[in-house]
Amino acid sequence: MKAFVITLGVFLMPLAAAAVEPDAGRFQLEKSGDHFVRLDRQTGAMSICQDKDGALICRMAADERAAYEDELDRLAKRVTALEQGGVIQRALPSDAEVDRSISIMERMMKSFMGMVKEFQAEENTNPLPQKT
């Protein structure tokens, strides 16, 4: 059993490492003067990067920043509307709907209990033969 667990671990280690590493072909860097331009091949987003003390520091381009800010504003308005309870109040049923649902459940339970009593009465009138 111990050998099986070790073998399974050896085979799963490369899969875990591959899942943690980002896609190496996702970004493309191009040198442009004293800085770099980074292209995200999945989204098409471009960032401007500079080498500072041996680290590559990237920031969003101006048009991307504006789109990012617009999206944040839209989401902030949506959160505010949700917090004010507009959606929550519409999601709750009215008292009439609750009363109707309860009456339906009561009728169903009475019908079910009536069937159970019929089966019990039938069982008492026709007992099974003793096999012992």
Side-chain angles (χ1 to χ4, degrees), residues 8-98:
L8 183 63
V10 168
F11 283 114
L12 292 179
M13 287 284 250
L15 293 176
V20 173
E21 292 179 13
D23 185 12
R26 179 175 177 179
F27 296 102
Q28 176 182 351
L29 283 175
E30 294 291 328
K31 186 155 180 73
S32 175
D34 62 340
H35 61 276
F36 295 91
V37 177
R38 180 180 70 176
L39 170 67
D40 186 343
R41 291 183 181 178
Q42 285 183 352
T43 64
M46 295 179 70
S47 303
I48 299 172
C49 304
Q50 292 181 332
D51 184 18
K52 290 187 181 181
D53 300 326
L56 196 61
I57 308 296
C58 298
R59 58 183 171 82
M60 285 187 237
D63 56 342
E64 288 178 17
R65 186 70 180 176
Y68 177 73
E69 293 293 334
D70 290 343
E71 181 70 7
L72 284 179
D73 290 340
R74 185 187 68 79
L75 291 173
K77 289 176 186 173
R78 184 174 176 196
V79 167
T80 302
L82 289 172
E83 286 175 346
Q84 290 175 351
V87 174
I88 294 171
Q89 290 174 353
R90 284 183 274 146
L92 296 176
S94 67
D95 289 339
E97 292 172 328
V98 170

Side-chain angles (χ1 to χ4, degrees), residues 100-117:
R100 183 173 180 269
S101 299
I102 289 174
S103 68
I104 291 170
M105 292 297 290
E106 285 176 348
R107 285 189 306 218
M108 185 187 75
M109 290 302 294
K110 285 179 183 177
S111 175
F112 176 76
M113 294 308 285
M115 286 189 292
V116 169
K117 287 179 183 177

